[in-house]
Amino acid sequence: MAIFAAPFALQRKCYACLHSNAIVNQGGLMLPIWARGLAGQTALVTGTSRGLGEAIALALADAGAQVLAVARDPQGLAALAARHPAITPMAGDVTDDAFVDGLAALDIDVLVNNAGTNKPQPMAEVAVTTLDLMLNLNVRAAYLVAQAAARSMLRRGTRGAIINITSQMGHVGSPGRTVYCMTKHALEGLTKAMAVELAPAGIRVNSVAPTFIETPMTAPMLADPAFAKFVQEMIPLGRTGTPDDVAAAVVYLASPAAAMVTGTSLLVDGGWTAR
């Protein structure tokens, strides 16, 4: 995907190109440095064996990054890696402290903290095991993975980017999703606190908050005609999202185009939270 270069193919001069932070593309055209994509960057993406993580890994690789794809499913990872030469599979469990500790020794320029789960239930029916499962993966593991990436960046003096995948449910409430909303609100708070703390080191931290996206995780929910109708009616743009919608937002936040963006949440929700 020529995500960055396309808008400049029709012009040889632009204001940004008059300054020293410009590069020349293969056609000899002057491009601002933020249009270079992610060439030379190493991106770690968790939860990549399917759905959002798969699309994000492919988009980052298309944008020029070398992608370390983390998931528990070796077969899913192998299938993903076969689709792009810039993707390296890393089978591992982000709830395994020993595995996560090892991530800090890697050279990470971009982290996409994507692994997570949801088990919708009325609050009165939520079992402690469900509560612990979601807190462990959606909050504790996400924190420790972000910590490992921050340690990697700080160790090397890298002005990196950390992107937490949250949800529109990290901005609102919803029946049957008390635990999920709690975990995603927690990640939104973590994003802001990390952004403030790591900004002096040049590390940017943002979140991407999608609406209902057509993935294997949401398929059972959207298979219910009544629920699918409710979702469609709540989204002003009139459709559910696709994994590519989310991946495009991630590529933007990871790229030099977002050099002045930190501590914010990019809502990819079709207008759900604008109501």
Side-chain angles (χ1 to χ4, degrees), residues 14-53:
C14 66
Y15 177 79
C17 299
L18 300 178
H19 301 275
S20 59
N21 63 343
I23 58 174
V24 181
N25 73 356
Q26 292 179 348
L29 300 180
M30 294 295 292
L31 303 178
I33 195 105
W34 55 260
R36 70 186 179 189
L38 297 171
Q41 302 286 296
T42 296
L44 180 85
V45 186
T46 66
T48 55
S49 60
R50 61 180 186 165
L52 288 184

Side-chain angles (χ1 to χ4, degrees), residues 46-47 72 93-95 113-120 130-146 163-167 169-170 177-191 217 221:
T46 66
R72 293 177 297 179
D93 186 345
V94 294
T95 64
N113 222 348
N114 172 67
T117 192
N118 186 17
K119 293 185 177 296
T130 299
L131 176 65
D132 289 345
L133 168 70
M134 293 179 66
L135 285 171
N136 192 36
L137 179 57
N138 292 9
V139 180
R140 184 180 186 275
Y143 183 96
L144 293 176
V145 170
I163 301 158
N164 295 316
I165 304 300
T166 62
S167 168
M169 296 302 170
R177 287 170 171 75
T178 54
V179 182
Y180 188 71
C181 287
M182 175 174 64
T183 64
K184 294 305 182 178
H185 275 267
L187 269 190
E188 289 289 350
L190 175 63
T191 294
M217 187 175 80
M221 308 174 204

Side-chain angles (χ1 to χ4, degrees), residues 152-243:
S152 170
M153 295 171 188
L154 291 169
R155 170 175 54 82
R156 294 153 42 239
T158 298
R159 301 172 71 84
I162 294 173
I163 301 158
N164 295 316
I165 304 300
T166 62
S167 168
Q168 67 184 15
M169 296 302 170
H171 295 263
V172 297
S174 181
R177 287 170 171 75
T178 54
V179 182
Y180 188 71
C181 287
M182 175 174 64
T183 64
K184 294 305 182 178
H185 275 267
L187 269 190
E188 289 289 350
L190 175 63
T191 294
K192 292 182 182 299
M194 286 183 64
V196 173
E197 181 170 327
L198 297 174
I203 298 170
R204 297 182 299 104
V205 187
N206 294 288
S207 60
V208 172
T211 186
F212 286 90
I213 306 296
E214 298 168 5
T215 68
M217 187 175 80
T218 62
M221 308 174 204
L222 296 174
D224 177 354
F227 184 75
K229 182 175 183 292
F230 161 73
V231 169
Q232 294 280 352
E233 291 175 348
M234 286 296 295
I235 301 175
L237 283 180
R239 67 173 178 88
T240 51
T242 68

